[in-house]
Amino acid sequence: MKVLAAGVVPLLLVLHWKHGAGSPLPITPVNATCATRHPCHSNLMNQIKNQLTQLNSSAKALFILYYTAQGEPFPNNLDKLCSPNVTDFPPFHANGTERARLVELYRIIAYLGASLGNITRDQKVLNPSAHSLHSKLNATADVMRGLLSNVLCRLCSKYHVAHVDVAYGPDTSGKDVFQKKKLGCQLLGKYKQVIAVVAQAF
Amino acid sequence: MMDISLCLKRPSRMGDSKRMRMTSNFQWLLLTVLLLYLMNQVNSQKKRTPRDLKCITNNLQVWDCSWRAPSGAGHGAAYEVCFENGSHSCYRLEKNIKLPALLPGDHEITINPLHDFGNFISKFTLNEKNVSLIPDAPEILDLSADFSTSTLHLKWNDKGSVFPHHSNVIWEIKVLRKKNMEIVKLVTHNTTLNGRDTVHHWSWISDMPLECATHYVGIRCYIDDPQFSGRKEWSDWSPLKNISWSPDSQTKVFPQDRVLLVGSDITVCCVTQEKVLSAQIGSTYCPLIHLDGKNVAIKIRNISASESSGTNVVFSVEDNMFGTVIFAGYPPDIPQKLNCETYDLKEIICTWNPGRPTFLVGPRNTSYTLFESFSGKYVRFKRVELPTNESYQLFFQMLPNQEIYNFTLNARNPLGQSESTLLVNITEKVHPHIPTSVKVKDISSTAVTLSWHLPGSFAKIKLLCQIEINKTNSIHELRNVTMRGIENSSYLAALDKLNPYTIYTFRIRCCTDPFWKWSKWSNEKQYLTTEAIPSKGPDTWREWSSDGKNLIIYWKPLPINEANGKILSYNVSCSSDEETQSLSEIPDPQHKAEIQLDKNDYIISVVAKNSVGSSPPSKIASMEIPNDDLKIEQAVRMGNGILLTWNYDPNVTCDYVIKWCNSSRSEPCLMDWKKVPSNSTETIIESDQFRPGVRYNFFVYGCRNQGYQLLRSIIGYVEELAPVVAPNFTVEDTSADSILVKWEEIPVEELRGFLRGYLFYFEKGERDTSKMRVLESGRSDIKVKNITDISQKTLRIADLQGKTSYHLVLRAYTDGGMGPEKSMFVVTKENSVGLIIAILIPVAVAVIVGVVTSILCYRKREWEVIRLWKSLQGWKDRAVLVELACLGRGRSLPRSSGRRSCCSRPDVPKELDPWFQAPPSLQPYIQREEGALPPGCQGGLWLAWPVSRVHRWSSRVAQQKFYSRATSTSTT
């Protein structure tokens, strides 16, 4: 429930307002009719690629900004504190079909979006004056929302996929501060690593 | 015994040492045996009786007495114990007896064993002093732990109900840590027994998180009853109770998210199953303290303030790091500059300065509570995400009928709290809102009403409002208005003493009485008051036209404060005893009128009109009273303007008028005029039209009954400048030693000041030489004449040299400076007598010198030739000489005739020609040889001048010719 309250619900609410995200996760998943509220953009794949490129280009800066804001010894112990060994991270197979890749991308972005929501919330409390970090996190989350919407639109319009099962990372709201910092760092390290592969695959 | 031993010792001094030693040893042995026997007898008797009566009490009410049983008494032996305690009491019992606490004093106790060994009765004297007070070991009711604060809570019962009276109790509590039970805390705790069972609590904050190791706690007590005279002893320790944390499989670091005071110490531990390699706080490594198992800890001392995200403490294992975050900061400072005021008497706003930063943010940030003690109400202030520049303020809703508020602002964070108080009568702390909706309404041309809205509940207080009145080009005026406050409404004030037809700008601010703070100024409201009739007639002057037929009437536009509206037109009338001429409705921009009049005396009247009405007429007489005694004076601006003075004239009854104009303008010339009262004797004329370097004429008129009389005529400058041109000058006359120069006056427009003189420079010099440029450099060869008589227009420069070029420069100057220069080159005429003398004298000298030299040389030449002639020996030599003479003419001697013939002299070189001009003194010598010479050589031999050349030439040529001819002759 905390996961839903912290990251997922806001994400879904925002998605609901976004272009092309009329029914991203229908309640009746299997037999649901796949319909978007607005027609998908004709150049959707290009938009997806551009969004991935944009995320990829800003991922490293976000990662650096994040671990710098956490204080020592984070910047000097990235291998131990920010290693990208996020166990439940959705997989991605670059050599799969476009449909499979889009489905996996959807899962990844949904996972990352929820995790970014957690991180943003934690950092606003922990580092209230780190405005550049906050704005970078928000900007990344914005792009992710758009990307998620576009991916779903593509899945729906081309492959008639109305529902994708998604998983979310652990909610950090009940964890101690160090765990929040560490999980956030690991997640952003993983994000930096994965987004490069994903952007390359599209 | 001493006696015996002394007796036994005496013989030993008399025997030999060995025997004595043996005897002595024997005696000692015997004595010892005897002593042992006696003791055994005594002991055997004692052993057959109860002994070692010992009494203890644990509650001061019952004494528990026990004794050692006599030897042989089996288990379960019975005794009869009797004692006196007011009455004789005997009890039959087996081992020990519990006596009620006996009264103070000695009590005899007899213990009679009830067995067959004889009647060995033991008697004891028992006193309270022989009784030991040993409380029962306390029992720990509960030991709990608050792991988040590393606090142990101990709870036990003092069992005070069993003690008959109040006693002091000392509790000793020990805390042990780790499996090897290191004592980490031993503390005493004092309480009082009050006859009831009381549960006591004791808490202890561990310097090490309780999760790091197992903690054990034990307790014992010591009852210090002042009424008990026996021995008091500590109780036994209670059974130990422990607190331990059940770790899960994950490595964890404790404490988590702890908030600490800057400068304090803390122990951080890592509960783990892995081997910890290192630990560090931030980037600083710390030595490890090993605990049970693989758990480790580090001790951090004097921690410094954390960054906003806290201080990271990490433990490093092989491939991972575990950690915790510590937030080191300060408790909240006392809120400073707490101030509570109200804008509207509805809501109180309290502001403060938080003081020293706490270095704690987010959920650890300081929260503030504003508590009002009379009403018991409070408001809270809490921010999780605190923008750094946000002001600290809280709003408190005012309560009906409450004016006095006692505020306490409490600041609290995890490290502590502080507070600041303020007692305030809120009606004295009103800082009104900015007045809004400012409106103006006419009352008359000089009065308006001003209304504005002031939000607030001011019904019970007085308001003081300040109205700022701004008029263009005027000092702003403040008027205070006091009024009773009303509930959320508009306020009204009347403003009088305004000027008609004037643009005013109003703005308002308010405060309350008593004063606390002004509100901000309201927005400005601009308003134009209505028109009124012009208050005065225009300022009027008149001039006769240049032909004297027309009178030109001038008037000035009325200033806005006298026009009282927009002037639409003027009416002009000229009245004499005989007639009246009028010009009506002259539109406003026109400020002069011309009326053809005869030379009668007229009174001119000018009236200005606006939309409301006409001004009073301003009148002026046309007549000018002549003044024969008039001089033209000069004036220059002093300070702000040109000061004009005149003598008091009692005949001047109206006023003085000073008019002025640019002197270069044609008549009638009028730039402006100024009227001054008749009692004045001076005035300063100022005008924006005045320009530096321009000559102005000022005329001072005195107003008499009949008309105006010109009293003074003054020319003046507001500022003198240097002339812009040089005077034109010409050379009127030139002689051999003087030059007459004449120049012209500089026009007034170009003079630009009062002419003070001329400077005339002259020097020798010619055009296009560098000297022309440096006339003013003060060189001694430059002559300067300063001509201060400005009427002088010529100058004769004398003592000059004839036929010499002179550079002349002339420039004019005023008090404003030196004007440009004008230069000219003039050559003086030639002096002829001198020239003649100058030529003749050198010529005469040269002639004389030449004559004398010639004479001398001639005489010398003769002398040399004669000497040469005489030095020649014989004919041949002289013939050679003759031949040489011929050769000198370029001819050889003729041979065919047998006589030498030469000297036809057609081609003698000119340079040798003088040689052949034989001087008369040589003629006799030559005549003598002429017979031997060929014809044509007569009178042609001249060899001696100069002698050296004759020698050189004669010898060289003669030798060559002679020897060549001698050779040819010999051949012949």
Side-chain angles (χ1 to χ4, degrees):
Chain A
M1 286 307 290
K2 282 181 179 176
V3 174
L4 288 174
V8 180
V9 172
L11 177 71
L12 293 181
L13 284 172
V14 172
L15 277 175
H16 197 70
W17 298 329
K18 282 284 176 179
H19 163 75
S23 53
L25 294 170
I27 299 170
T28 51
V30 179
N31 299 322
T33 55
C34 180
T36 57
R37 186 168 293 175
H38 304 287
C40 295
H41 198 276
S42 59
N43 205 9
L44 206 54
M45 278 313 288
N46 262 346
Q47 277 205 25
I48 291 171
K49 285 176 188 173
N50 290 340
Q51 284 166 322
L52 286 171
T53 306
Q54 189 181 353
L55 290 174
N56 187 33
S57 62
S58 64
K60 187 178 179 185
L62 175 63
F63 182 53
I64 293 171
L65 212 52
Y66 180 87
Y67 68 66
T68 306
Q70 308 318 307
E72 286 290 342
F74 275 85
N76 295 317
N77 292 274
L78 297 179
D79 55 335
K80 289 184 176 178
L81 289 171
C82 305
S83 59
N85 51 356
V86 183
T87 51
D88 55 354
F89 200 84
F92 182 77
H93 301 90
N95 51 1
T97 62
E98 182 184 282
R99 181 181 184 281
R101 280 187 284 131
L102 282 171
V103 168
E104 287 177 336
L105 174 61
Y106 187 90
R107 289 192 181 115
I108 288 170
I109 298 302
Y111 184 99
L112 284 173
S115 299
L116 271 183
N118 288 336
I119 292 171
T120 307
R121 178 202 58 206
D122 293 342
Q123 290 301 312
K124 279 186 177 175
V125 173
L126 261 179
N127 282 303
S129 55
H131 301 299
S132 55
L133 174 62
H134 301 161
S135 63
K136 200 99 182 166
L137 284 166
N138 287 330
T140 305
D142 288 345
V143 177
M144 280 187 183
R145 278 190 285 269
L147 176 60
L148 202 64
S149 170
N150 286 339
V151 169
L152 188 69
C153 216
R154 177 75 172 175
L155 281 171
C156 185
S157 61
K158 187 171 182 184
Y159 302 107
H160 306 290
V161 175
H163 171 78
V164 178
D165 287 325
V166 295
Y168 302 106
D171 178 30
T172 56
S173 60
K175 295 188 182 298
D176 64 273
V177 173
F178 189 81
Q179 281 294 317
K180 288 176 183 173
K181 289 182 176 184
K182 188 176 173 183
L183 286 173
C185 202
Q186 287 174 337
L187 189 279
L188 291 178
K190 181 73 176 178
Y191 161 63
K192 179 175 73 83
Q193 186 186 64
V194 165
I195 203 70
V197 176
V198 174
Q200 186 72 28
F202 284 90
Chain B
M1 288 294 287
M2 285 295 291
D3 293 339
I4 295 171
S5 74
L6 288 173
C7 290
L8 289 175
K9 281 182 181 174
R10 278 188 198 113
S12 65
R13 296 179 184 170
M14 296 179 289
D16 58 41
S17 59
K18 188 175 180 182
R19 193 181 65 225
M20 283 175 67
R21 204 163 39 245
M22 288 180 62
T23 306
S24 175
N25 290 343
F26 176 75
Q27 286 172 347
W28 274 109
L29 181 64
L30 188 62
L31 192 62
T32 305
V33 169
L34 180 62
L35 188 61
L36 287 171
Y37 174 77
L38 288 173
M39 286 176 66
N40 186 40
Q41 285 298 313
V42 171
N43 286 337
S44 63
Q45 190 173 355
K46 278 187 177 177
K47 286 177 181 174
R48 287 196 294 270
T49 61
R51 59 186 189 276
D52 297 341
L53 178 67
K54 186 189 279 184
C55 292
I56 62 170
T57 178
N58 55 14
N59 57 12
L60 298 174
Q61 296 189 67
V62 176
W63 295 359
D64 187 359
C65 297
S66 61
W67 57 88
R68 188 183 288 186
S71 59
H75 186 72
Y79 302 89
E80 184 185 53
V81 180
C82 298
F83 61 92
E84 289 287 338
N85 186 18
S87 62
H88 184 80
S89 303
C90 290
Y91 297 93
R92 183 188 174 90
L93 36 83
E94 287 186 354
K95 187 178 179 183
N96 58 346
I97 183 170
K98 292 185 185 296
L99 303 174
L102 300 179
L103 295 173
D106 292 340
H107 300 273
E108 185 177 82
I109 294 181
T110 59
I111 301 173
N112 182 20
L114 299 177
H115 51 70
D116 297 334
F117 297 119
N119 293 325
F120 294 107
I121 298 172
S122 296
K123 287 187 179 178
F124 302 96
T125 300
L126 183 60
N127 192 307
E128 191 185 63
K129 292 178 182 172
N130 305 121
V131 178
S132 297
L133 173 57
I134 304 173
D136 288 339
E139 183 185 353
I140 295 173
L141 293 179
D142 185 44
L143 176 66
S144 60
D146 181 355
F147 287 100
S148 64
T149 58
S150 303
T151 306
L152 283 176
H153 299 287
L154 179 67
K155 194 160 69 173
W156 71 96
N157 192 329
D158 66 359
K159 297 180 180 173
S161 60
V162 301
F163 290 89
H165 36 74
H166 288 215
S167 305
N168 297 324
V169 188
I170 302 171
W171 306 93
E172 190 170 52
I173 304 164
K174 64 178 177 183
V175 181
L176 306 100
R177 183 180 287 161
K178 300 202 297 188
K179 288 177 180 170
N180 59 0
M181 303 231 181
E182 293 172 4
I183 292 183
V184 291
K185 190 72 179 178
L186 187 64
V187 66
T188 57
H189 179 71
N190 296 326
T191 64
T192 306
L193 299 177
N194 55 11
R196 297 190 308 271
D197 285 354
T198 305
V199 175
H200 296 279
H201 301 268
W202 177 77
S203 296
W204 174 69
I205 299 173
S206 171
D207 61 337
M208 177 183 284
L210 299 177
E211 297 93 339
C212 301
T214 305
H215 286 72
Y216 303 88
V217 177
I219 187 170
R220 64 177 181 171
C221 63
Y222 176 93
I223 296 175
D224 183 18
D225 187 342
Q227 297 176 19
F228 179 70
S229 57
R231 202 168 72 238
K232 300 157 193 166
E233 296 181 21
W234 283 98
S235 73
D236 289 336
W237 285 102
S238 70
L240 292 175
K241 286 212 168 188
N242 69 73
I243 287 290
S244 61
W245 183 68
S246 306
D248 51 21
S249 58
Q250 290 184 336
T251 299
K252 287 202 171 176
V253 178
F254 299 100
Q256 291 178 346
D257 307 342
R258 178 66 58 87
V259 183
L260 278 181
L261 181 66
V262 171
S264 55
D265 304 338
I266 186 174
T267 302
V268 181
C269 72
C270 178
V271 180
T272 180
Q273 302 297 321
E274 300 178 67
K275 184 181 181 186
V276 176
L277 302 175
S278 65
Q280 60 191 104
I281 173 170
S283 54
T284 307
Y285 285 88
C286 303
L288 294 173
I289 302 166
H290 290 278
L291 305 174
D292 292 335
K294 292 183 177 175
N295 297 353
V296 291
I298 57 170
K299 185 89 176 173
I300 301 166
R301 299 183 191 281
N302 193 18
I303 193 165
S304 51
S306 301
E307 297 171 3
S308 69
S309 68
T311 303
N312 300 313
V313 180
V314 295
F315 292 85
S316 182
V317 296
E318 180 69 31
D319 56 353
N320 207 342
M321 267 188 169
F322 305 97
T324 186
V325 179
I326 295 167
F327 299 92
Y330 292 99
D333 201 355
I334 294 172
Q336 296 163 9
K337 297 179 183 174
L338 175 63
N339 177 44
C340 293
E341 60 186 24
T342 179
Y343 289 119
D344 50 10
L345 283 173
K346 293 178 180 174
E347 191 177 51
I348 298 170
I349 177 171
C350 292
T351 57
W352 67 92
N353 185 329
R356 180 186 60 187
T358 62
F359 296 96
L360 301 175
V361 297
R364 292 158 288 277
N365 198 4
T366 306
S367 65
Y368 293 91
T369 304
L370 183 68
F371 176 72
E372 203 284 306
S373 62
F374 296 142
S375 62
K377 293 183 180 298
Y378 61 88
V379 285
R380 283 209 174 112
F381 173 97
K382 174 72 179 175
R383 278 173 300 209
V384 174
E385 298 167 30
L386 176 67
T388 51
N389 55 354
E390 188 174 337
S391 61
Y392 288 80
Q393 60 181 29
L394 270 173
F395 292 91
F396 188 90
Q397 290 300 317
M398 279 183 63
L399 302 165
N401 302 319
Q402 183 176 345
E403 294 183 354
I404 310 292
Y405 291 83
N406 186 19
F407 287 113
T408 300
L409 179 68
N410 180 278
R412 181 189 296 270
N413 76 2
L415 291 176
Q417 59 177 317
S418 62
E419 62 182 33
S420 184
T421 59
L422 181 71
L423 181 68
V424 61
N425 182 345
I426 205 63
T427 60
E428 296 174 353
K429 301 280 183 178
V430 183
H431 180 192
H433 283 295
I434 180 170
T436 56
S437 308
V438 180
K439 293 174 184 167
V440 188
K441 198 173 179 184
D442 283 327
I443 297 176
S444 68
S445 60
T446 57
V448 296
T449 57
L450 202 63
S451 65
W452 65 92
H453 182 74
L454 188 66
S457 179
F458 302 121
K460 293 179 181 173
I461 59 172
K462 282 205 292 187
L463 286 175
L464 172 66
C465 292
Q466 207 167 47
I467 302 168
E468 188 186 76
I469 304 169
N470 270 311
K471 200 166 62 175
T472 312
N473 300 326
S474 176
I475 300 169
H476 70 265
E477 179 190 351
L478 287 175
R479 295 193 195 177
N480 291 333
V481 183
T482 305
M483 56 190 73
R484 283 216 68 80
I486 42 181
E487 194 78 25
N488 264 341
S489 184
S490 292
Y491 296 84
L492 196 71
L495 296 175
D496 57 0
K497 296 177 185 170
L498 303 177
N499 292 330
Y501 197 62
T502 304
I503 295 174
Y504 285 96
T505 304
F506 303 102
R507 60 175 187 163
I508 303 147
R509 65 177 180 176
C510 294
C511 68
T512 56
D513 186 20
F515 175 78
W516 169 240
K517 282 179 183 174
W518 284 109
S519 71
K520 288 182 179 172
W521 284 105
S522 69
N523 290 333
E524 291 184 340
K525 182 74 179 176
Q526 206 172 55
Y527 191 76
L528 175 65
T529 51
T530 56
E531 293 190 16
I533 58 170
S535 58
K536 286 174 69 178
D539 187 0
T540 310
W541 184 243
R542 82 285 178 277
E543 291 277 319
W544 286 98
S545 62
S546 53
D547 57 4
K549 292 178 180 174
N550 294 336
L551 186 68
I552 307 167
I553 301 140
Y554 301 91
W555 62 91
K556 293 180 183 176
L558 283 169
I560 190 73
N561 60 335
E562 293 174 352
N564 291 343
K566 180 174 172 51
I567 298 298
L568 303 173
S569 62
Y570 299 92
N571 289 347
V572 178
S573 64
C574 300
S575 306
S576 69
D577 295 340
E578 301 168 358
E579 61 168 345
T580 298
Q581 292 188 41
S582 296
L583 293 172
S584 300
E585 301 299 325
I586 301 169
D588 174 53
Q590 187 177 332
H591 295 122
K592 81 174 185 181
E594 193 165 348
I595 301 179
Q596 190 174 10
L597 295 175
D598 52 27
K599 283 294 182 180
N600 288 336
D601 295 343
Y602 287 89
I603 298 296
I604 298 114
S605 172
V606 181
V607 169
K609 293 170 70 178
N610 65 12
S611 64
V612 179
S614 300
S615 71
S618 61
K619 296 181 176 180
I620 187 169
S622 65
M623 181 182 174
E624 282 210 12
I625 304 164
N627 185 357
D628 299 331
D629 184 21
L630 197 63
K631 290 189 296 185
I632 296 177
E633 301 161 63
Q634 292 183 351
V636 178
R637 180 167 76 172
M638 304 285 287
N640 294 328
I642 294 175
L643 176 66
L644 300 178
T645 59
W646 55 88
N647 296 324
Y648 174 72
D649 186 349
N651 296 323
V652 173
T653 53
C654 325
D655 49 24
Y656 289 96
V657 174
I658 297 96
K659 74 155 194 176
W660 60 90
C661 68
N662 189 327
S663 65
S664 58
R665 301 271 175 83
S666 58
E667 291 291 333
C669 167
L670 179 66
M671 278 176 65
D672 203 353
W673 70 92
K674 180 183 179 182
K675 288 184 177 174
V676 293
S678 58
N679 57 355
S680 301
T681 57
E682 64 175 33
T683 188
I684 293 174
I685 305 298
E686 294 176 86
S687 172
D688 293 337
Q689 296 175 316
F690 287 151
R691 296 285 177 267
V694 176
R695 180 177 290 185
Y696 297 98
N697 291 336
F698 298 88
F699 303 97
V700 180
Y701 291 90
C703 174
R704 299 166 191 262
N705 289 334
Q706 306 92 329
Y708 285 91
Q709 183 180 32
L710 181 60
L711 302 178
R712 294 185 67 189
S713 176
I714 300 145
I715 55 172
Y717 290 89
V718 288
E719 184 183 351
E720 288 188 86
L721 300 177
V724 288
V725 296
N728 273 327
F729 74 104
T730 54
V731 175
E732 288 290 301
D733 183 31
T734 308
S735 66
D737 62 349
S738 69
I739 300 170
L740 178 61
V741 177
K742 184 180 180 184
W743 60 88
E744 300 169 1
E745 278 189 356
I746 299 173
V748 169
E749 294 81 12
E750 294 168 332
L751 195 57
R752 305 201 301 171
F754 296 115
L755 180 66
R756 299 301 179 199
Y758 300 94
L759 279 180
F760 193 91
Y761 310 84
F762 64 97
E763 61 156 353
K764 286 181 186 174
E766 294 182 359
R767 197 180 297 274
D768 298 332
T769 60
S770 60
K771 289 179 182 178
M772 289 175 64
R773 304 291 175 203
V774 289
L775 276 178
E776 288 179 281
S777 61
R779 292 189 350 244
S780 59
D781 54 341
I782 297 175
K783 294 186 174 56
V784 182
K785 285 185 183 294
N786 186 5
I787 302 152
T788 54
D789 179 7
I790 59 171
S791 62
Q792 183 179 337
K793 294 291 182 287
T794 58
L795 176 67
R796 177 172 291 281
I797 311 162
D799 300 330
L800 302 179
Q801 292 179 3
K803 205 177 181 183
T804 304
S805 176
Y806 281 93
H807 181 197
L808 311 180
V809 173
L810 182 62
R811 53 200 311 197
Y813 63 90
T814 66
D815 284 347
M818 199 69 73
E821 63 184 35
K822 190 149 197 170
S823 66
M824 182 182 287
F825 290 87
V826 179
V827 181
T828 51
K829 288 184 177 173
E830 191 173 5
N831 190 343
S832 56
V833 176
L835 182 64
I836 291 167
I837 291 171
I839 294 170
L840 287 183
I841 288 173
V843 169
V845 170
V847 168
I848 292 167
V849 170
V851 169
V852 170
T853 305
S854 301
I855 292 169
L856 290 174
C857 289
Y858 181 76
R859 298 296 301 169
K860 175 80 174 174
R861 185 186 63 179
E862 283 189 349
W863 296 334
E864 284 294 320
V865 173
I866 293 167
R867 191 180 57 80
L868 177 62
W869 189 263
K870 287 180 177 176
S871 66
L872 295 175
Q873 298 297 323
W875 157 250
K876 285 190 177 177
D877 289 343
R878 289 176 183 172
V880 169
L881 181 60
V882 171
E883 187 172 2
L884 285 174
C886 293
L887 284 172
R889 293 174 198 170
R891 306 213 12 196
S892 58
L893 293 171
R895 297 170 189 269
S896 56
S897 62
R899 295 185 65 186
R900 292 179 179 91
S901 62
C902 66
C903 306
S904 62
R905 304 188 57 188
D907 49 359
V908 175
K910 283 185 179 177
E911 63 272 17
L912 292 179
D913 205 34
W915 297 4
F916 298 94
Q917 302 295 326
S921 58
L922 201 55
Q923 288 302 323
Y925 300 99
I926 295 173
Q927 290 292 331
R928 204 165 56 202
E929 296 296 328
E930 283 249 314
L933 290 176
C937 288
Q938 290 90 349
L941 190 60
W942 167 226
L943 293 174
W945 190 63
V947 176
S948 59
R949 293 185 66 184
V950 170
H951 278 300
R952 282 200 302 275
W953 174 80
S954 61
S955 59
R956 188 175 67 245
V957 176
Q959 283 174 4
Q960 287 175 353
K961 293 294 181 181
F962 177 77
Y963 288 116
S964 61
R965 191 173 56 84
T967 306
S968 61
T969 306
S970 62
T971 305
T972 305

